[in-house]
Amino acid sequence: MSVSRYAAQCCARQLRATSSVRSASLLQQRITRRNNSTEAAAVNPKISQIVDQISQLTLLETADLVASLKSRLNIPDLPVGGFAAAGPAAPAAAAEAEEDAAPAAAEKTLFNIKLVAFADGSKPKIIKEVKNLLGLSLVESKKFVESAPKVLKESVPKEDAEKIMATLKELGATVELE
């Protein structure tokens, strides 16, 4: 029995040694391929020069650069939720035409959903729905619901806000759009 154990240990050592050699060679191949792929791409010298200049900027200078690019190119600031919460973006020319045409009659398109109150019997259902909407844990969702009135979601498009509001009202919650 000791001979078979010794043989098994020897085999295991050999496998470990060969697998580490193999993994090292695979890693070297991946690095080589990665380096070759970036070298193969033709880079415009003008772009390369700009990238070099940007990489030498400090953090404050980079922030100034971003701000000036946003103002010159008419790029709006995104809401806190990023692209997913922003909804479909209108072209800049259409947005300017709308602002000029009817600045006073602009209709609100993004809403805040506020959970005001809820029926005692519907509390578990509302907690589950809040958990699904916000991606919170069950405990966090329970604390959130119990701390009503509280803003549930911010900067939500009108259609989505109405769907969420209808769902929560069916479950027995009192919800407001702000």
Side-chain angles (χ1 to χ4, degrees):
M1 191 136 117
S2 64
V3 174
S4 63
R5 179 177 284 165
Y6 176 74
Q9 289 175 346
C10 287
C11 288
R13 269 190 240 123
Q14 286 179 344
L15 285 174
R16 276 188 239 125
T18 58
S19 66
S20 65
V21 170
R22 277 191 214 140
S23 63
S25 66
L26 286 174
L27 181 63
Q28 184 61 35
Q29 287 175 355
R30 287 183 190 151
I31 291 171
T32 304
R33 270 190 258 146
R34 186 176 299 146
N35 289 341
N36 290 341
S37 67
T38 56
E39 291 171 2
V43 178
N44 185 347
K46 185 176 180 181
I47 301 296
S48 177
Q49 183 182 12
I50 293 171
V51 169
D52 290 339
Q53 288 175 351
I54 291 174
S55 65
Q56 293 174 357
L57 295 177
T58 65
L59 187 58
L60 292 174
E61 292 170 335
T62 306
D64 290 340
L65 173 67
V66 169
S68 62
L69 284 173
K70 281 183 179 181
S71 66
R72 181 173 289 180
L73 300 174
N74 294 328
I75 300 172
D77 289 333
L78 291 177
V80 175
F83 288 108
E96 289 177 14
E98 288 178 11
E99 289 176 10
D100 294 340
E107 184 178 323
K108 189 173 181 181
T109 58
L110 297 177
F111 295 91
N112 294 340
I113 304 171
K114 185 175 184 179
L115 177 65
V116 178
F118 55 90
D120 291 332
S122 62
K123 184 177 173 182
K125 295 176 188 173
I126 295 171
I127 290 172
K128 285 182 183 178
E129 187 63 29
V130 167
K131 179 181 181 282
N132 292 335
L133 283 173
L134 302 180
L136 300 174
S137 70
L138 195 58
V139 174
E140 291 170 332
S141 300
K142 181 178 184 261
K143 289 178 182 178
F144 185 91
V145 170
E146 290 174 345
S147 66
K150 195 167 184 179
V151 175
L152 186 65
K153 279 194 150 193
E154 295 180 343
S155 301
V156 180
K158 185 175 183 177
E159 295 173 359
D160 294 339
E162 289 174 349
K163 289 177 187 175
I164 293 170
M165 190 171 162
T167 303
L168 289 171
K169 281 187 177 181
E170 287 176 14
L171 296 175
T174 306
V175 185
E176 291 179 353
L177 290 181
E178 297 178 341

